[in-house]
Amino acid sequence: MYRYDEFDRAFVEARVAQFRDQVERRLKGEITEDQFKPLRLQNGVYLQLHAYMLRVAIPYGTLSSRQLRMLAHIARTYDKGYGHFTTRQNIQFHWPALAEIPDALADLASVEMHALQTSGNCIRNISADHFAGAAADEVADPRPYAEILRQWSSAHPEFSFLPRKFKIAFTGAERDRAAIQTYDIGLHLKRNAEGELGFAVWVGGGQGRTPILAKKIRDFLPHEELLSYVTAIVRVYNLEGRRDNKWKARIKIMVHELGAAEFARLVEAEWENLKGGDLSLPQADIDAIEAYFAPPALPDRPEGDAAVRAARLDSRTFSDWLDRNVVTHRHPDYAAVTVSLKAIGETPGDISDAQMDAVADIAERYGFGEIRVSHEQNLVLPHVARADLPAVHDALVAQGLATSNIDLISDIIACPGLDYCSLANARSIPVAQQIALRFSSLERQREIGELKLNISGCINACGHHHVGHIGILGVEKKGGELYQVTLGGAADEHASLGEIVGRGFGPEEIVDAVETIVETYLSLRHDRAERFIDLYRRLGAAPFKEALYGAEARVA
Amino acid sequence: MKVLTANRLFDGEAVWLAADHSWAETLPAAHVAHDEADEERLAAHGKLSAARNEVVDVELIDVQLVDGAIVPLRLRERIRAAGPTVRGDLGKQARAVPALAAA
Ligand code: SF4
C-alpha cells in the first residue's frame, strides 16, 4: 500500500499547522468569515445544517486497518460516534466543532490521512475501482497511476484555481465499477494488441444540473504519457473553460459545446508540445510507485473449496451472502468481500465507530489489513482466503454488516440530503430507509434481481440519481418535499442517463411508486435473466408511465 | 413573522436570537419579530454579532405560531431546529427538554 514519502509527510504536517493557526486567528476575530471560508474549504471543512462537517479524503478508496481505526477514533473523539461514506469514496463527519478540527487533522496526519482536495475548484481526490488489485477481470491495478496523478495534482499551482472542481476516476477492467463515464476525466487502463499498457481516455462526463456522459477522445494513450496528456486536457480546459457562469463552468459543458472531436483536436495539439518531455513518466518512477501497491503475498489456501462447500450446506444465510457479497479474486483460493453498509432500515453509508474498529480487526486478521471504500457506499475486503469466508461472515454478522443485498434494490446509494446538507431540497435517507423496509424480504429482493436505486436530495446529484436504474431526485415544492423519478440510468461500461418518467411524488407516495415500477418490471420480464435495466432498454418508459399514471391520465 | 437564526462560530451549533440578545440553542427561546421594525432590529443585531465573530450564516427565517409554539415554515429550518429526522438521538430533539419535531 502506498506510504507517504518525506515530501508528503512534511507537506501535510505543514498544512495542519497552517490551518491550526488560521482557525485560531478566526476564533480570535483576526480574520473575517469571508477570508476564512475559502481556507476552511481547502481543508475539507464545510458548514452544514446542524454543525460543521469534515470531509476526509480516501485516495482511490484504499484504507489500511490502522487508518480505519483512526477514523473510528475521530468519530468517537470529535464527532458523535459515526461517519458517513460518500459516493466519492471519502468519509464525512457531521458534527465536529471548528475549534477541535485542527486536532482531528493532526490525528489523521499521524496515519497519513488528510482532508486536502475534498473541496474547491481543484483536482479533487481521485477515485478508482474498489476491487483494484484483486479483481479477476483486471488488466492491471490502476491505483499506481491514480497515485501518480494525486502526487502531481496535490496543490499544483496551475490547477488549484480551475473554473470548477475537477474529478478523475480510474478503472483497470473492461467492466467499469468506478463509473468513469460520469467523471471529468475517466481513465480505463488496458492493453493494446502488442500487450503494452495504456489508457482509453474519456472526458467531459458529469452529473449535477446538466448530466452528460463522458466521450472517449483517445482509445489508447501509452501509459507513460498519462501526465502529459492529462496536463494537456486540464490546460485546454483551464484556458478556455468558462468562468463567467458557475453552471456552465465544468469541462462537460466545454466538451459538449465544442464537440468531442474538436475538443480532442485541441488536446492533441497541446499534447504535441508536451509528449515525450518532462512529463513523460520514466519506467523507473512507475515501478517505484507500483512497488507500493504490490499485492500482499497470497499463500495458496486450497482447503477453501471444501470449507466453503461445507459452510454452504450448513447455513442458508452464509450461502446467500456468498452469492451476493463475495466476488471472484484473481487468485483462485481468494475472494473479495463486500461489507454491506446498507442494513435494512439504516442510513446508507453510515458506520459506527465500533463497526469501524471491528472491520479493521477483521481486515487485519483475515484480509492483510486492507479495506476499500466503494462509490456505492459499502466497504470491501479485497483479499480474503476462501477458507476464511465462514469466519469473516460470522464476524460481520455480529456487527450487523453482513446484509446479503449487494446490487439489490436495498443496496441504495443515498446522499445525506435535507437531514444534514445545507444545499438540500428534500430528504434522501428516510426515502432510502422506507424503500429498503418495503422490500425488506431478501427473498423478494433476490427475485427482483439486480436493481440499482439511487437518491439525491438536490440537483447536485451526489446520490448519482441520473445513473440509477431507478433514480430519485428530491425537490422542494410549496415548502414540502417532492420526488422526481428517472428510469433507465446506468453507471457501468454501458452507461446511460435516466429519463424522467412523469410528475413527481410526495413523500407518502414515493415508496408506492417504486413498488409499482418494480411490479411492472416483474410482470413484463421474459425471465430472471432479463434485469430491470435490460427490460427498460427493450420496452422504454411506456409501460411504467401507464402503470404509474395510466388511470389518472385517462381521467384527465 | 420571523426569527433570526445563525450558526455559532466555534462549534457550528444552530442558534436563534433570544429577546435578551443572547443566542439560544433551541428555537422555543427565540424572539419572534411581528413587524418590519422588529425584524430590522433583529437583523441589525445579527450583523453586529457576526462582526463580533460570535456567529456565521445569519438569516431571518419565516415562522408561524402553532398553539403558541414557534414553527418555521420551511422543512429545512424545522430540521435545523430539531436535528436529523433519521436520528432522534441527535441534535436538539435529543435534549432533556425536547425542541419541536421536524416533520
Ligand atoms: S445531492 Fe444535494 S442534498 Fe445531496 S449531498 Fe449533494 S448537495 Fe447535499
Side-chain angles (χ1 to χ4, degrees):
Chain A
M1 195 177 297
Y2 180 72
R3 299 188 60 98
Y4 279 3
D5 60 20
E6 284 312 307
F7 170 79
D8 282 321
R9 188 183 311 280
F11 178 73
V12 169
E13 280 170 6
R15 274 296 281 267
V16 173
Q18 187 186 48
F19 187 56
R20 187 183 294 283
D21 180 57
Q22 288 159 347
V23 169
E24 272 166 21
R25 286 193 288 148
R26 176 71 190 111
L27 293 175
K28 282 193 212 142
E30 292 169 13
I31 45 178
T32 65
E33 186 62 15
D34 286 347
Q35 292 166 324
F36 179 66
K37 190 173 171 183
L39 301 175
R40 71 163 155 77
L41 287 172
Q42 279 168 20
N43 290 281
V45 182
Y46 291 72
L47 182 61
Q48 297 284 55
L49 288 186
H50 312 291
Y52 291 99
M53 179 267 276
L54 175 65
R55 182 181 294 154
V56 177
I58 302 175
Y60 26 86
T62 297
L63 280 172
S64 65
S65 286
R66 183 164 152 262
Q67 291 173 320
L68 185 54
R69 275 196 200 101
M70 179 54 77
L71 295 177
H73 160 80
I74 301 290
R76 217 166 16 242
T77 312
Y78 304 102
D79 209 85
K80 294 187 187 283
Y82 68 109
H84 174 78
F85 286 108
T86 75
T87 51
R88 301 226 51 254
Q89 301 177 303
N90 293 322
I91 188 167
Q92 295 180 176
F93 296 101
H94 292 303
W95 305 89
L98 178 61
E100 295 185 356
I101 289 176
D103 289 340
L105 290 173
D107 289 354
L108 287 165
S110 73
V111 295
E112 312 187 321
M113 297 189 82
H114 55 74
L116 305 175
Q117 292 173 287
T118 61
S119 172
N121 294 337
C122 60
I123 295 183
R124 297 287 190 92
N125 186 40
I126 293 169
S127 53
D129 181 356
H130 45 268
F131 292 138
D137 61 354
E138 184 174 85
V139 165
D141 187 341
R143 291 174 304 155
Y145 299 95
E147 172 56 25
I148 288 168
L149 267 188
R150 186 196 71 76
Q151 293 188 9
W152 164 84
S153 66
S154 285
H156 191 308
E158 184 178 348
F159 306 127
S160 292
F161 297 94
L162 295 169
R164 278 289 271 142
K165 57 186 169 183
F166 202 90
K167 301 177 183 174
I168 302 176
F170 279 85
T171 173
E174 206 55 53
R175 167 108 195 269
D176 177 12
R177 289 172 287 255
I180 67 166
Q181 291 182 46
T182 67
Y183 274 78
D184 294 292
I185 298 180
L187 293 156
H188 169 201
L189 185 60
K190 60 199 271 195
R191 281 189 198 280
N192 64 8
E194 287 71 48
E196 297 155 344
L197 274 179
F199 295 94
V201 182
W202 296 74
V203 177
Q207 303 190 58
R209 178 175 302 245
T210 316
I212 299 179
L213 292 175
K215 309 283 182 304
K216 186 155 71 170
I217 61 166
R218 192 169 236 281
D219 191 53
F220 191 82
L221 173 76
H223 69 143
E224 67 274 13
E225 293 298 337
L226 175 68
L227 282 191
S228 62
Y229 202 80
V230 171
T231 299
I233 295 171
V234 183
R235 198 165 276 177
V236 166
Y237 168 57
N238 207 7
L239 287 174
E240 315 227 357
R242 291 180 61 164
R243 286 180 152 85
D244 59 322
N245 180 342
K246 185 177 174 190
W247 305 115
K248 296 195 188 282
R250 295 290 291 268
I251 196 173
K252 64 187 174 187
I253 304 292
M254 190 181 167
V255 174
H256 182 72
E257 287 182 350
L258 285 176
E262 174 60 11
F263 184 83
R265 196 189 62 74
L266 292 175
V267 170
E268 296 279 332
E270 182 69 35
W271 187 50
E272 272 305 310
N273 308 319
L274 295 170
K275 72 176 170 191
D278 287 352
L279 288 171
S280 295
L281 296 165
Q283 189 58 42
D285 287 10
I286 299 177
D287 292 346
I289 298 284
E290 245 164 21
Y292 286 119
F293 290 88
L298 302 173
D300 288 349
R301 299 280 303 275
E303 75 277 22
D305 272 348
V308 165
R309 216 173 311 122
R312 241 195 211 288
L313 290 175
D314 198 42
S315 157
R316 175 72 198 272
T317 325
F318 174 77
S319 181
D320 290 342
W321 177 79
L322 193 69
D323 291 339
R324 276 306 350 150
N325 297 28
V326 178
V327 299
T328 315
H329 196 277
R330 59 187 165 68
H331 189 303
D333 295 345
Y334 287 77
V337 170
T338 302
V339 177
S340 173
L341 301 184
K342 313 291 176 69
I344 305 297
E346 299 295 331
T347 300
D350 272 17
I351 183 166
S352 72
D353 59 331
Q355 287 174 320
M356 286 189 248
D357 276 335
V359 173
D361 290 348
I362 296 167
E364 205 156 63
R365 181 141 182 224
Y366 302 107
F368 303 89
E370 240 193 83
I371 302 107
R372 306 287 174 76
V373 183
S374 77
H375 83 270
E376 284 110 346
Q377 302 175 288
N378 292 310
L379 294 179
V380 169
L381 304 172
H383 317 288
V384 176
R386 288 169 57 74
D388 293 330
L389 287 173
V392 167
H393 174 252
D394 291 349
L396 291 173
V397 167
Q399 296 296 328
L401 294 170
T403 311
S404 302
N405 60 350
I406 301 309
D407 290 341
L408 298 180
I409 190 171
S410 63
D411 185 10
I412 296 171
I413 293 179
C415 77
L418 192 54
D419 281 300
Y420 296 96
C421 176
S422 60
L423 301 173
N425 290 322
R427 287 172 295 165
S428 309
I429 301 167
V431 176
Q433 292 174 329
Q434 286 157 28
I435 292 170
L437 287 166
R438 176 72 62 92
F439 292 91
S440 60
S441 154
L442 284 171
E443 211 174 306
R444 185 175 178 205
Q445 292 189 37
R446 276 194 297 275
E447 176 61 31
I448 297 164
E450 181 187 310
L451 207 170
K452 305 216 177 214
L453 195 152
N454 299 351
I455 309 176
S456 303
C458 82
I459 195 62
N460 287 326
C462 305
H464 293 191
H465 66 278
H466 295 300
V467 289
H469 297 170
I470 299 176
I472 298 178
L473 165 66
V475 297
E476 183 171 358
K477 193 158 185 204
K478 295 188 190 125
E481 295 158 301
L482 193 75
Y483 295 94
Q484 222 168 55
V485 175
T486 50
L487 298 177
D492 57 10
E493 64 280 12
H494 307 293
S496 54
L497 297 171
E499 298 159 324
I500 296 174
V501 70
R503 69 159 176 86
F505 299 92
E508 270 75 51
E509 304 168 315
I510 182 65
V511 183
D512 289 338
V514 168
E515 192 164 31
T516 300
I517 290 165
V518 170
E519 290 301 327
T520 304
Y521 154 67
L522 289 174
S523 71
L524 293 173
R525 72 180 178 187
H526 287 317
D527 53 36
R528 293 179 70 150
E530 187 177 40
R531 301 168 307 160
F532 178 88
I533 186 70
D534 303 327
L535 177 121
Y536 186 83
R537 286 175 179 161
R538 176 165 66 87
L539 296 179
F544 298 100
K545 281 189 204 276
E546 172 66 21
L548 287 168
Y549 310 111
E552 148 190 324
R554 279 191 292 276
V555 170
Chain B
M1 271 178 281
K2 291 186 195 292
V3 299
L4 190 75
T5 187
N7 289 77
R8 204 156 57 198
L9 173 67
F10 82 93
D11 62 357
E13 182 86 33
V15 288
W16 294 264
L17 196 67
D20 66 357
H21 286 180
S22 67
W23 288 102
E25 290 189 8
T26 52
L27 175 61
H31 171 72
V32 181
H34 289 269
D35 56 44
E36 244 173 67
D38 210 5
E39 285 170 19
E40 274 166 27
R41 273 193 294 277
L42 281 183
H45 189 84
K47 232 175 169 174
L48 199 71
S49 177
R52 278 198 223 113
N53 305 301
E54 294 159 355
V55 292
V56 292
D57 279 15
V58 183
E59 201 186 344
L60 275 171
I61 58 159
D62 292 312
V63 297
Q64 56 185 346
L65 292 175
V66 178
D67 299 332
I70 305 170
V71 180
L73 295 193
R74 290 185 69 197
L75 176 60
R76 173 189 208 274
E77 292 301 328
R78 296 202 292 279
I79 291 176
R80 276 184 81 238
T85 63
V86 292
R87 287 294 299 261
D89 58 328
L90 299 177
K92 324 281 187 187
Q93 63 201 345
R95 297 179 179 209
V97 182
L100 86 168

